Amino acid sequence: MKRWILATTLALAALVLGGAVAVWGAARYFGRDLPSVDSLRQLQLAVPLRVVSRDGKLIGEFGAERRALLKYQDIPQNVVHAFLAAEDDRFFEHPGFDWQGLTRAAFKLASSGEKAQGGSTITMQLARNVFLTNERTFTRKFKEIVLATRIEHELSKQEILELYLNKIFLGERAYGVGAAALVYFGKDLRELSLSQIAVIAGLPKAPSRDNPVANPQRARERRDYVLHRMRDLGYISALDYEAALAEPVTVHPYQAKVELDAAYVAEMARAQLVEQYGEDAYTKGYTVVTTIDSNKQLAANAALRKALLDYDERHGWRGPEARLPADVLSESGRGELGRALDARPPVAGLIAAAVVSFAPDEIKLLTRDGLVTLEKADFAWANLARKPLEPGDIVRVRRVGERWRLAEVPAVQAAFVGLDPMDGAIEALVGGFDFYANKFNRAIQARRQAGSGFKPFLYSAGLAYGFTPASIFLDAPVVFDGATEGAGWRPENFEGDLQGPMRLREALVQSRNLVSIRLLQAIGIDYARQYVPRFGIPADRLPNDLTMALGSAVFTPLEMARGYATIANGGFVIDPYFIAEVRDAHGQVLFAAHPKRACPSCIDQRLAEAADADSAAQAGADTGPAADDLAPRAIEPQIIWLISDMMHDVAVRGTAAKTRELGRNDLAGKTGTTNDETDAWFNGFQKTQVGIAWVGFDQPTPLGRGEVGARAALPIWIDYMRSALKGVPEERMPCPAGLVEVRIDPRSGRLARAGASDAIFETVQQDHIPEADSSDERDPNKAGLEDLY
């Protein structure tokens, strides 16, 4: 008997020893390829790309994963308790694996032949989520145990929980409890109720299936289970349990808490970062600091949307977006009505609403937030007497002050670019009415005919050629024969009238097409095509015919902004840019923009120094930008001053005279309208700010009679500049050397005779002073016809 006991004892000891050796050997074997725990400690969790304005306001966030990383001390205790109750209540006791759970799983396998996922501790889940796959095999489970043991040996329990709660996948692309709180409830983790915490803690088992967005009922069942476990483990009281159980499971789907609406710019930044860094752009935690000024961007958004809504009201009501059966307004139909409203998210602040009742002096509507009443003044523009609304009609309303107003999503579109002409920083950019309704970025992608907005470039070429603002050109019909009878080209002025001989200044102020054509004829198409690109305008888009004079070339608003910046800054070609810095997840600067700046005083100083061989010491003391930081001067300062002064007259008394309502005397610009009012532009500037506004349909279509640049586009510019120039002192460009002021006869453009009572002052190039007027009749229709071109 004793021998049998001894033999049995020895056999058991050998078996235990053999098992231990086997386990040790297996651990050594499987552990060879496992990563080190140190790599877990240094794990770089994927963090989304963030795009911010230059003053730090979030304008966009991009990433396949949503994360909000937290330190252990910032995680509420109820969150820790909820996950322990749901996943591993013995977490603070076991060494990384739970032998009791493993035993239960083994027993189930032996008794039923089914594999069960059992004994998976929080530490083992962390090992699997970070380093291993989700395949359910004995090999993977053993690797989990080995790696979990290593993790427990090298990290504290708090460090393990911190990593786990930041890494765990919780559905809807949310990784970690911080992200889940935002994704499901739109709150910071510390703001969640006990019920909401339990919902999140119930997700790790099947996050894609059990989350409250995909399956609210299943999410409620899992929440109830977690609350039950928390009560049984003594984490919460019975009273807390009952209160949390009674709370409904409601979610608020995730929306990044964007602080500034500049979605077109955010998308531009995303595209550029992906091009530069590849897919890492979405996960490395980069922050893109743009050049966008939040105040100017807000002004641009508001100005563009107001102009399009005003245009829409001018052109009448198109009808409801949809028509639902009237019974959707009953209690039984409210579900269908709710789905219909949800299917129409807000568009630039325009809210979907269902008509409850319609009368000539009042409309009652139901929105997601409740009942809205419109008085007659709020919908008079729609002339609904012709098209009465009916209960169940889906329309839009918008907030105007304290009142609601009937609206509709405009079919017309617009774009706006505001930039600093001195270095090209884009300070505001809007690519359309609403990015989320239509992502086409018209500010940088829409090439449209420039119309009369092109004329300042052409007139500058004329001034450089030798003409002056006083030069006389004939505003009279011109016909160009075609290859076949009746196929000739007969350009006209927009107004259709003719004024005969007129000075170039007046021709630009009044935007006379026929004078522009004659000016182009006078300087030659080749000369113009060589000169105009000096403004930074793409040369390959300039037509090789006289239609160039009328702005038939196509440009984007951003390209037009670059050209006008060359005028605003004194003749320097700058490169527009919108990314100021790119920072990594630790705040280190990976990229910083170094734009070339326009600096007229620097150029003048260097020219003076270059002319003086003994000025080296002075050059060394120069505090201006280094030579490499200077934008190239492309246009002579005399030409720039003259054309900007002529454009100032456009803004004071010409086609853009509405700018006078801003009460400033340092504005300049040019309206632009293409054939059949298809495109409406206003391009204008002050010394510190260039603004380009375009209005039109995506598929070129006439805007309607009278919808010229001054009516459709100029209001955007005025509203923007009212905000952008607030507090900016008035400052006009100083007159450079090489220009002189002379008295001229306003009809002939020649120097006025002594004592002439109707003489006016004009500034001209010093080497192109007009000849004296020797005609007794002083009638350009009878004398000097050779100068009328």
Side-chain angles (χ1 to χ4, degrees):
M1 186 68 178
K2 290 183 178 179
R3 287 183 179 180
W4 181 84
I5 294 174
L6 179 61
T8 302
T9 302
L10 290 173
L12 287 173
L15 184 62
V16 170
L17 180 61
V21 171
V23 170
W24 178 82
R28 292 274 295 179
Y29 176 77
F30 288 115
R32 291 178 307 170
D33 300 324
L34 293 178
S36 68
V37 176
D38 189 57
S39 64
L40 176 64
R41 183 184 283 110
Q42 299 174 8
L43 180 66
Q44 296 295 315
L45 300 178
V47 180
L49 168 68
R50 288 168 51 86
V51 184
V52 302
S53 64
R54 71 183 181 193
D55 49 347
K57 293 187 177 180
L58 180 67
I59 63 177
E61 183 178 283
F62 303 92
E65 302 175 0
R66 296 164 177 165
R67 295 187 182 275
L69 302 184
L70 299 168
K71 294 294 185 182
Y72 181 78
Q73 58 267 27
D74 297 326
I75 300 172
Q77 198 63 30
N78 268 344
V79 175
V80 174
H81 285 158
F83 274 87
L84 295 181
E87 298 296 321
D88 187 1
D89 60 85
R90 298 184 63 253
F91 171 75
F92 283 99
E93 302 167 17
H94 61 65
F97 62 93
D98 186 351
W99 66 268
Q100 295 174 346
L102 291 173
T103 300
R104 286 194 299 270
F107 179 77
K108 183 173 183 179
L109 176 63
S111 61
S112 66
E114 297 180 4
K115 293 182 179 178
Q117 186 168 349
S120 208
T121 67
I122 281 177
T123 314
M124 292 168 65
Q125 290 182 49
L126 177 62
R128 179 172 68 249
N129 286 332
V130 175
F131 297 122
L132 306 174
T133 67
N134 285 319
E135 61 177 341
R136 296 174 66 181
T137 65
F138 293 118
T139 300
R140 193 266 295 161
K141 180 65 74 172
F142 194 81
K143 287 182 177 180
E144 272 184 32
I145 295 171
V146 173
L147 190 50
T149 304
R150 288 185 184 177
I151 291 171
E152 291 274 354
H153 180 69
E154 297 192 30
L155 300 180
S156 70
K157 290 287 187 179
Q158 289 75 15
E159 288 177 313
I160 295 169
L161 267 178
E162 179 182 307
L163 282 167
Y164 173 80
L165 293 175
N166 277 315
K167 178 68 181 177
I168 189 73
F169 175 59
L170 296 169
E172 296 297 307
R173 295 192 289 130
Y175 287 78
V177 292
L182 292 171
V183 166
Y184 295 116
F185 305 112
K187 296 180 180 179
D188 184 272
L189 186 64
R190 290 179 290 270
E191 298 173 344
L192 296 187
S193 67
L194 178 59
S195 170
Q196 292 168 333
I197 289 171
V199 168
I200 293 175
L203 295 177
K205 184 177 180 181
S208 297
R209 183 194 68 191
D210 294 348
N211 77 71
V213 173
N215 193 335
Q217 180 58 35
R218 180 60 181 162
R220 183 186 182 92
E221 293 171 1
R222 286 291 297 162
R223 180 205 66 172
D224 294 351
Y225 165 76
V226 173
L227 290 172
H228 180 81
R229 291 278 297 147
M230 291 181 75
R231 183 198 61 183
D232 288 353
L233 291 167
Y235 293 145
I236 59 174
S237 67
L239 191 62
D240 290 337
Y241 168 74
E242 294 297 338
L245 210 61
E247 187 177 314
V249 176
T250 56
V251 298
H252 303 281
Y254 173 80
Q255 288 185 341
K257 291 187 177 180
V258 172
E259 300 170 287
L260 177 64
D261 183 358
Y264 288 100
V265 178
E267 171 58 21
M268 290 163 61
R270 182 206 65 80
Q272 185 156 324
L273 264 288
V274 170
E275 181 180 351
Q276 185 169 353
Y277 297 104
E279 293 300 308
D280 282 351
Y282 295 122
T283 61
K284 295 297 185 182
Y286 297 136
T287 295
V288 180
V289 181
T290 67
T291 57
I292 295 297
D293 179 294
S294 60
N295 291 327
K296 291 177 180 178
Q297 182 67 33
L298 288 172
N301 292 341
L304 182 143
R305 289 168 180 170
K306 179 181 182 299
L308 292 191
L309 290 168
D310 288 348
Y311 171 93
D312 199 70
E313 291 191 3
R314 289 198 298 271
H315 290 267
W317 176 249
R318 299 193 304 274
E321 286 189 14
R323 179 159 287 169
L324 303 178
D327 60 10
V328 300
L329 301 174
S330 65
E331 288 298 326
S332 61
R334 288 297 174 89
E336 181 182 351
L337 176 60
R339 288 189 291 274
L341 295 179
D342 287 343
R344 291 169 173 80
V347 178
L350 307 187
I351 308 299
V355 175
V356 175
S357 66
F358 171 76
D361 58 351
E362 182 183 83
I363 305 175
K364 290 188 180 296
L365 307 110
L366 196 62
T367 71
R368 264 308 196 182
D369 296 324
L371 194 65
V372 168
T373 300
L374 304 184
E375 297 179 3
K376 186 174 182 179
D378 303 321
F379 59 87
W381 68 268
N383 193 16
L384 294 176
R386 296 186 300 108
K387 299 179 181 179
L389 294 174
E390 298 179 6
D393 282 351
I394 303 296
V395 299
R396 298 273 175 172
V397 292
R398 63 184 173 109
R399 197 80 174 174
V400 181
E402 297 299 317
R403 304 181 63 81
W404 289 95
R405 185 176 180 86
L406 183 67
E408 57 188 350
V409 178
V412 70
Q413 282 291 351
F416 184 84
V417 176
L419 60 76
D420 181 344
M422 304 311 289
D423 70 352
I426 298 173
E427 298 181 313
L429 185 146
V430 190
F433 186 70
D434 186 301
F435 174 81
Y436 297 101
N438 189 322
K439 295 179 172 56
F440 180 59
N441 189 342
R442 297 151 193 87
I444 64 172
Q445 294 176 303
R447 294 181 179 179
R448 303 298 287 253
Q449 287 189 342
S452 294
F454 180 81
K455 289 176 182 175
F457 307 132
L458 173 62
Y459 277 56
S460 296
L463 295 172
Y465 189 82
F467 294 109
T468 76
S471 296
I472 299 293
F473 281 79
L474 188 61
D475 182 28
V478 60
V479 178
F480 300 93
D481 293 333
T484 60
E485 185 177 353
W489 180 43
R490 294 173 173 80
E492 298 178 345
N493 291 321
F494 177 80
E495 297 83 358
D497 65 335
L498 301 168
Q499 295 193 10
M502 63 191 311
R503 289 172 287 120
L504 271 186
R505 179 181 290 273
E506 293 305 306
L508 185 64
V509 167
Q510 299 179 37
S511 198
R512 311 303 288 184
N513 289 341
L514 297 175
V515 171
S516 298
I517 291 172
R518 284 190 163 88
L519 174 62
L520 180 55
Q521 282 183 304
I523 66 175
I525 293 174
D526 289 342
Y527 180 85
R529 295 184 79 236
Q530 291 174 7
Y531 190 88
V532 169
R534 294 170 65 178
F535 288 90
I537 294 294
D540 60 341
R541 310 242 195 91
L542 297 177
N544 194 25
D545 55 44
L546 291 174
T547 64
M548 175 170 49
L550 305 185
S552 63
V554 294
F555 305 110
T556 67
L558 183 58
E559 289 168 340
M560 290 293 285
R562 189 188 192 203
Y564 273 78
T566 304
I567 302 175
N569 66 29
F572 299 83
V573 177
I574 48 84
D575 294 316
Y577 71 104
F578 66 97
I579 293 181
E581 284 185 352
V582 177
R583 302 171 184 161
D584 66 16
H586 304 290
Q588 297 297 314
V589 176
L590 303 178
F591 164 82
H594 296 288
K596 292 183 181 296
R597 292 186 56 84
C599 184
S601 60
C602 302
I603 292 290
D604 295 340
Q605 179 180 348
R606 283 174 170 79
L607 289 174
E609 292 170 353
D612 184 356
D614 299 325
S615 63
Q618 297 176 21
D622 178 27
T623 58
D628 291 344
D629 295 332
L630 291 178
R633 170 171 268 165
I635 311 293
E636 300 84 349
Q638 296 79 14
I639 303 303
I640 290 295
W641 190 93
L642 289 173
I643 195 62
S644 63
D645 189 60
M646 294 164 70
M647 292 169 68
H648 173 69
D649 275 7
V650 173
V652 170
R653 57 186 180 84
T655 57
K658 286 182 182 179
T659 62
R660 287 182 299 183
E661 67 183 65
L662 292 175
R664 300 182 68 101
N665 192 41
D666 59 348
L667 306 176
K670 184 68 188 74
T671 52
T673 309
T674 61
N675 286 345
D676 300 320
E677 291 96 350
T678 299
D679 299 277
W681 296 80
F682 186 72
N683 317 277
F685 60 89
Q686 186 265 356
K687 184 177 180 180
T688 65
Q689 188 76 189
V690 167
I692 305 295
W694 167 86
V695 176
F697 290 94
D698 285 338
Q699 296 300 320
T701 305
L703 288 165
R705 185 174 179 81
E707 295 293 350
V708 295
R711 190 183 195 196
L714 178 56
I716 300 175
W717 191 90
I718 291 174
D719 287 347
Y720 172 79
M721 286 295 190
R722 182 178 288 113
S723 175
L725 297 180
K726 188 174 183 179
V728 177
E730 283 192 19
E731 184 181 7
R732 292 192 63 184
M733 190 180 298
C735 186
L739 298 178
V740 295
E741 191 173 63
V742 295
R743 293 175 70 252
I744 63 167
D745 183 303
R747 290 178 294 176
S748 69
R750 297 177 182 272
L751 289 180
R753 294 179 301 172
S757 60
D758 59 350
I760 62 173
F761 286 98
E762 179 62 273
T763 304
V764 299
Q765 302 93 310
Q766 191 169 13
D767 54 352
H768 289 86
I769 296 174
E771 295 179 0
D773 188 353
S774 59
S775 169
D776 289 335
E777 299 178 9
R778 293 184 299 157
D779 185 349
N781 291 298
K782 297 180 180 179
L785 289 179
E786 68 276 9
D787 295 332
L788 300 186
Y789 304 97

